[in-house]
Amino acid sequence: MDFQRLRRLKQSTVIQNLSQEDNNININKLICPLFLIDGQDSIQPINSMPDYYRYSVNKAIELIEEYIEYGLKTFILFPVIEQEYKTNIIDKTSYALSTKSFFVQAIAQIKNKFQDTICLISDIALDPYTIHGHDGIYCETSQTILNDQTIHILAQMSLLHAQAGIDMVAPSDMMDGRIQHIRAILDDNDYINTGIISYSAKFNSNFYGPFRDAVQSTQEAGIDKSTYQLDYSNTSQAIQKSLIDLEEGADMIIVKPALAYLDIITKLSNHVSVYKPVIAYQVSGEYTMAKLAAQYNYLDEYKIIHETLTSIIRAGANSIITYHAMAYAKYRNIQN
Ligand code: PBG
């Protein structure tokens, strides 16, 4: 063995380039989450997410213009609903299914403005609209989430967003059978080109805290979503759920959170990413941990972002939803 030669070879840039795996992060693989609020000219800070804001639609449009300049063109929208519109019973008359909802109108305005230069995704779930903050309809008497009634509402909501011009709906509720239901209602109404990104491997994680603060879906007593989100000690359930969602018609699937679930990303991408993309969601808690450590100069923010995003791509994700998208795109712009 000539260790000296091996070392020399490893250091040669030509050899390195030849043998390098392509785990580079392409900016257009990043998906940007946006929190939308009702009103005009409004930008609100989010306490638990440093440097992240909620935007009224006109401000969101300005922001999207800036994102586009940096090569970011895919956006996932989350509504922040005023307390007065939240209810515990969700039915046809609820704000969640109203064409007058600011969120539905915002989708239409954004899509009208940017047309096909961007890809617009909306999160589909009931938590922004319910007082208790659960993703589904909660039955007080049985103390359970009513799966079948919920998927009916979610399908209606998906249709409403499709009519407003959304490119893809992303159900994040984790009810069973919702993909099939949503696909059917979209097809029946001729929205055959509206895609479905399913949050299939969504774990009952402790990393969602800042998001719940951002959309104001946190309850004083805390919300336990363990009856419908996945147990994080269980791999096969996540694989099984994802395969079922794909079978039911999902076009892409999401693993969420990302960093603590790289093994799931790898396993799923080995199973499915040959024919359906696997998206990783670097969630709010992951964002806030990095931001806070960076604020104290305990970690270098951009190096941490670069390293974590690289690890997620290396694990096998085809794309990443991340609150770091803009900061990272700016950083890359300076580097190049
Ligand atoms: C709710 C939803 C959550 C997230 C996206 N959609 C939180 C939850 O399940 O309570 C979390 C995203 C994040 O933490 O960044 N449907």
Side-chain angles (χ1 to χ4, degrees):
M1 266 298 206
D2 181 350
F3 291 107
Q4 197 58 46
R5 177 169 53 85
L6 280 179
R7 179 177 299 175
R8 213 173 43 244
L9 285 177
K10 273 192 209 151
Q11 282 168 350
S12 137
T13 35
V14 180
I15 302 274
Q16 267 179 19
N17 286 341
L18 281 179
S19 60
Q20 205 176 37
E21 294 173 31
D22 188 11
N23 287 325
N24 292 326
I25 302 153
N26 202 330
I27 294 295
N28 62 25
K29 286 188 175 172
L30 304 182
I31 302 174
C32 319
L34 295 181
F35 296 109
L36 296 185
I37 47 175
D38 200 357
Q40 190 56 27
D41 290 330
S42 175
I43 301 181
Q44 295 174 350
I46 300 166
N47 282 343
S48 56
M49 298 181 72
D51 297 334
Y52 223 77
Y53 301 86
R54 309 179 188 96
Y55 297 86
S56 63
V57 64
N58 66 320
K59 289 289 166 192
I61 286 177
E62 287 173 24
L63 184 75
I64 292 173
E65 275 165 351
E66 197 187 339
Y67 272 77
I68 292 172
E69 279 172 34
Y70 284 93
L72 295 159
K73 291 180 181 167
T74 311
F75 302 89
I76 181 162
L77 306 177
F78 297 93
V80 182
I81 306 297
E82 298 280 338
Q83 210 57 36
E84 59 180 299
Y85 293 120
K86 296 194 188 199
T87 50
N88 267 342
I89 296 166
I90 304 277
D91 59 22
K92 272 193 210 127
T93 64
S94 303
Y95 193 69
L97 294 186
S98 168
T99 45
K100 295 201 184 80
S101 128
F102 88 87
F103 188 59
V104 174
Q105 291 174 2
I107 292 172
Q109 281 178 45
I110 296 171
K111 197 61 199 173
N112 275 340
K113 166 86 185 159
F114 297 101
Q115 306 283 329
D116 286 344
T117 48
I118 62 171
C119 172
L120 214 52
I121 306 162
S122 66
D123 189 83
I124 299 286
L126 299 187
D127 54 310
Y129 303 94
T130 52
I131 298 167
H132 47 64
H134 275 293
D135 294 33
I137 298 169
Y138 181 67
C139 171
E140 289 274 355
T141 359
S142 61
Q143 300 201 341
T144 48
I145 299 292
L146 303 175
N147 189 93
D148 297 7
Q149 271 153 269
T150 302
I151 61 176
H152 184 66
I153 301 284
L154 296 174
Q156 298 287 339
M157 192 193 275
S158 303
L159 177 61
L160 193 64
H161 293 187
Q163 287 162 339
I166 209 78
D167 294 301
M168 305 192 93
V169 290
S172 66
D173 53 286
M174 293 303 280
M175 300 299 126
D176 290 322
R178 85 264 207 232
I179 302 301
Q180 192 178 42
H181 224 63
I182 292 172
R183 189 67 269 159
I185 198 171
L186 291 175
D187 289 351
D188 288 348
N189 288 278
D190 288 336
Y191 288 98
I192 47 169
N193 293 325
T194 308
I196 303 177
I197 304 184
S198 178
Y199 288 77
S200 301
K202 175 171 176 179
F203 292 91
N204 182 29
S205 165
N206 299 295
F207 283 97
Y208 306 147
F211 173 94
R212 291 175 187 165
D213 173 35
V215 302
Q216 290 156 2
S217 66
T218 318
Q219 288 305 292
E220 270 170 40
I223 38 179
D224 182 0
K225 300 194 174 185
S226 59
T227 61
Y228 47 103
Q229 297 184 348
L230 301 177
D231 171 1
Y232 57 71
S233 64
N234 195 326
T235 305
S236 49
Q237 215 178 26
I239 308 271
Q240 188 192 32
K241 185 92 175 107
S242 305
L243 294 178
I244 292 172
D245 283 0
L246 288 168
E247 194 67 37
E248 287 185 19
D251 301 294
M252 305 182 190
I253 54 169
I254 298 178
V255 177
K256 168 184 178 189
L259 202 53
Y261 297 84
L262 294 179
D263 57 325
I264 307 285
I265 296 173
T266 301
K267 286 183 180 140
L268 270 176
S269 67
N270 287 343
H271 266 85
V272 306
S273 92
V274 234
Y275 68 107
K276 293 281 167 80
V278 174
I279 299 174
Y281 195 149
Q282 188 175 51
V283 299
S284 58
E286 299 178 69
Y287 170 84
T288 298
M289 286 197 305
K291 287 298 285 191
L292 287 183
Q295 275 183 359
Y296 285 94
N297 279 326
Y298 295 151
L299 293 173
D300 179 316
E301 180 173 348
Y302 298 107
K303 288 184 179 162
I304 285 294
I305 300 175
H306 184 68
E307 185 175 341
T308 53
L309 293 178
T310 305
S311 73
I312 297 165
I313 294 290
R314 190 189 65 226
N318 300 91
S319 171
I320 307 172
I321 304 173
T322 175
Y323 301 94
H324 293 297
M326 181 60 143
Y328 183 70
K330 283 185 173 165
Y331 163 72
R332 284 276 298 268
N333 211 36
I334 298 165
Q335 301 287 303
N336 292 330

